[in-house]
Amino acid sequence: MQQSRFGFSEVSKRTPESPISYFMQQAVENQDIISLAAGLVDTGSLPVQEISSALNDILGDPTKAREALQYGTTQGHLPLREKIAKHLASLDKSSTTFSPKDIVVTTGSQQLLYILSEVLIDEGDIVITEAPSYFVYQAVLAGRGAEVVSIPMDEEGMQIHALEERLKQIEAAGNLPRIKIIYTVDYYQNPSGRTLSLARRKELMALMNRWSNRLRAVIVEDAAYRELRFDGPDIPSLKSMDPENKFVVYAGTFSKPCSPGLKSGYALMPTELVRPILIIKANHDFGSSNLTQHTVDRLLENGDYQKHVLELQEVYGKKSRVMLEALESNFAAYPEVTWTKPTGGMFVWLKLPEHISTGLQSEFLKAAMSEGVLYVPGIFAYRGAGPLPDSEMRITYGDASVDRIREGIHRLKKAYLRVKDTKPAPARTASSPKPALV
Ligand SMILES: Cc1ncc(COP(=O)(O)O)c(C=O)c1O
């Protein structure tokens, strides 16, 4: 942070700037650049008609309109919470009834992640995340002064045996009480596109039961992309495997499956967390936008939301196939380049050979910018000690048209050809300086 006459707080000084804002700005300022970086949803399929008619219904009825234009409650509009409870049960095809009393409506799921960090984390507390993990949550944790312990992933998601090994090490060091949250983006993860398999979900819940009398941590199941499934099995949530509502905070959002402009999210949580969350949320905003909540309620009630999700599954399914085919044809001759194959969501995780950095100062990023394509450097998704993987990247088919997806991947290949024979650079470690933006 620059010298300033203002005395910034420690939280402000610790919180890194989001790398995504930089990439969004680049893409907005230069339309010739194809951005496979910014995590925007598909603009063309935003539900303009549906939201407009929901708003007309609300505002066309003076009684409903006055209710929606007044302040609501901090916890959120009860009819909406009731519908969310039913919706979650229907996603899990479960007869479990979730209680609206355990649901809090939030201003996007990002707000829940932040508020929960305020409720649970003191400086020096430990949060366990997948490696790689969601960039913006990493920034929240940095701001809170949390120590992040990263657990490696493979094609089935977080490696639960590695998690248990780390728990044992942390316990041996006397630090078990400092672990507050185990965070997983368990469907079509941002950034890697991977999903926690059913077997791993069962392992994780069995682990929580085994450790329950000494581990106080809560699992945060960030299911932001869950409903964008276009392939693969319909996997039940961790929440549905938590029948006593003891271990899991389920964070959901209407941003990805409906519209980020609504900025509406929700969380279903163990009952004892509800009050502390509401006390802190009251300080943030004493309730998320009431008009937005009524709008979402209307969309769920008249079925437009459910129809729209089905359309989006088609849209992203098609775009992901275009991206995967483009990767296969462009990189067929370069088996050293590998990538994930998502069955939902918006992201693909691409790995170059280890000696090629994809970071902000890298030759590869310069080559990509001059070819006119942007990605998010993978290093932003890692935290912790030791050399951090630096030759990976997140690319998304979220908002680019199919033609631009194809052209974008072609440009990435051209950038790769420019640098592929460069000499290996020394490994980056956590203690080496971070790029200017972090
Ligand atoms: C994994 C994940 N969680 C949470 C969010 C927050 O989304 P919102 O606050 O719009 O609900 C995002 C947004 O990109 C995300 O990718």
Side-chain angles (χ1 to χ4, degrees):
M1 190 170 284
Q2 282 174 328
Q3 273 303 78
S4 164
R5 73 189 178 84
F6 300 114
F8 290 104
S9 71
E10 288 307 313
V11 172
S12 170
K13 284 189 268 188
R14 277 196 303 249
T15 305
E17 186 176 343
S18 162
I20 313 285
S21 7
Y22 168 78
F23 288 107
M24 282 205 183
Q25 194 186 336
Q26 295 293 316
V28 169
E29 281 171 6
N30 186 348
Q31 294 292 315
D32 293 335
I33 292 189
I34 295 179
S35 176
L36 304 178
L40 297 179
V41 303
D42 183 69
T43 308
S45 54
L46 284 167
V48 179
Q49 253 341 95
E50 293 86 339
I51 291 184
S52 149
S53 91
L55 278 167
N56 276 337
D57 282 353
I58 297 162
L59 298 177
D61 172 338
T63 312
K64 279 192 211 160
R66 289 200 176 90
E67 193 196 340
L69 293 174
Q70 184 53 276
Y71 279 123
T73 61
T74 308
Q75 187 160 6
H77 188 45
L78 180 59
L80 175 59
R81 286 188 283 121
E82 287 166 350
K83 288 185 189 70
I84 290 170
K86 285 205 186 107
H87 180 60
L88 290 180
S90 79
L91 286 179
D92 276 318
K93 300 181 180 53
S94 136
S95 54
T96 319
T97 48
F98 299 123
S99 169
K101 288 197 191 116
D102 296 328
I103 292 176
V104 176
V105 179
T106 53
T107 306
S109 51
Q110 190 64 38
Q111 186 188 46
L112 180 275
L113 296 178
Y114 193 80
I115 293 179
L116 190 63
S117 78
E118 289 189 316
V119 167
L120 293 180
I121 302 170
D122 284 314
E123 200 180 330
D125 280 344
I126 298 172
V127 175
I128 295 181
T129 70
E130 294 149 337
S133 181
Y134 170 42
F135 316 103
V136 191
Y137 188 57
Q138 294 287 349
V140 168
L141 297 177
R144 301 294 309 155
E147 186 184 317
V148 176
V149 169
S150 304
I151 306 298
M153 300 177 89
D154 59 20
E155 291 320 306
E156 287 191 63
M158 189 194 283
Q159 297 180 8
I160 308 302
H161 68 89
L163 168 63
E164 188 146 24
E165 284 313 305
R166 286 311 299 267
L167 290 181
K168 286 180 192 158
Q169 287 164 8
I170 295 169
E171 183 176 42
N175 288 328
L176 209 55
R178 285 174 47 214
I179 306 180
K180 297 295 180 68
I181 293 176
I182 299 172
Y183 174 74
T184 172
V185 182
D186 59 345
Y187 293 93
Y188 328 118
Q189 192 216 30
N190 178 6
S192 74
R194 293 182 187 120
T195 295
L196 190 65
S197 70
L198 181 58
R200 292 272 170 90
R201 282 166 200 258
K202 290 181 179 161
E203 277 179 51
L204 177 55
M205 296 315 289
L207 176 149
M208 291 304 283
N209 277 299
R210 268 198 311 282
W211 285 72
S212 68
N213 57 2
R214 47 205 215 278
L215 179 65
R216 295 191 303 165
V218 72
I219 294 178
V220 175
E221 175 174 33
D222 182 340
Y225 299 89
R226 177 182 190 187
E227 290 176 65
L228 303 180
R229 176 172 73 97
F230 45 76
D231 207 356
D234 187 5
I235 301 181
S237 63
L238 293 168
K239 185 77 243 175
S240 71
M241 301 175 185
D242 177 24
E244 290 174 49
N245 194 19
K246 271 171 45 179
F247 298 124
V248 180
V249 173
Y250 180 100
T253 179
F254 294 105
S255 288
K256 318 292 171 177
C258 190
S259 155
L262 292 168
K263 202 67 192 170
S264 184
Y266 55 88
L268 170 61
M269 63 191 76
T271 309
E272 65 179 310
L273 282 175
V274 174
R275 202 172 120 78
I277 290 272
L278 292 180
I279 290 171
I280 299 283
K281 182 165 163 63
N283 280 358
H284 281 251
D285 58 12
F286 43 89
S288 297
S289 157
N290 204 17
L291 178 59
T292 301
Q293 292 186 61
H294 279 74
T295 309
V296 176
D297 183 58
R298 189 81 204 107
L299 293 168
L300 284 168
E301 182 167 294
N302 66 18
D304 278 352
Y305 172 81
Q306 292 82 343
K307 270 188 241 148
H308 184 66
V309 171
L310 294 178
E311 282 165 32
L312 283 187
Q313 292 171 347
E314 291 280 315
V315 169
Y316 290 116
K318 179 169 175 216
K319 286 177 140 191
S320 82
R321 281 191 293 281
V322 168
M323 181 172 272
L324 293 174
E325 279 161 21
L327 284 164
E328 269 151 36
S329 58
N330 281 282
F331 288 96
Y334 311 101
E336 69 280 14
V337 178
T338 57
W339 54 88
T340 56
K341 297 180 180 61
T343 53
M346 310 184 341
F347 304 110
V348 170
W349 190 245
L350 192 80
K351 273 192 189 178
L352 302 183
E354 269 174 30
H355 70 276
I356 300 179
S357 166
T358 57
L360 278 186
Q361 320 293 345
S362 68
E363 290 308 309
F364 181 74
L365 182 61
K366 282 186 209 137
M369 299 268 274
S370 75
E371 292 294 346
V373 62
L374 279 179
Y375 60 86
V376 181
I379 194 138
F380 291 114
Y382 290 102
R383 293 235 355 245
L388 300 176
D390 187 27
S391 50
E392 302 171 355
M393 72 190 86
R394 187 191 80 177
I395 50 178
T396 173
Y397 41 83
D399 194 29
S401 66
V402 290
D403 288 342
R404 280 170 78 86
I405 293 171
R406 285 193 191 103
E407 176 58 22
I409 298 297
H410 183 59
R411 291 181 187 183
L412 265 189
K413 197 260 300 268
K414 290 206 276 182
Y416 176 63
L417 293 184
R418 285 198 195 191
V419 301
K420 84 180 188 43
D421 296 322
T422 50
K423 294 221 164 55
R428 279 273 317 275
T429 63
S431 56
S432 52
K434 289 240 171 184
L437 277 168
V438 199

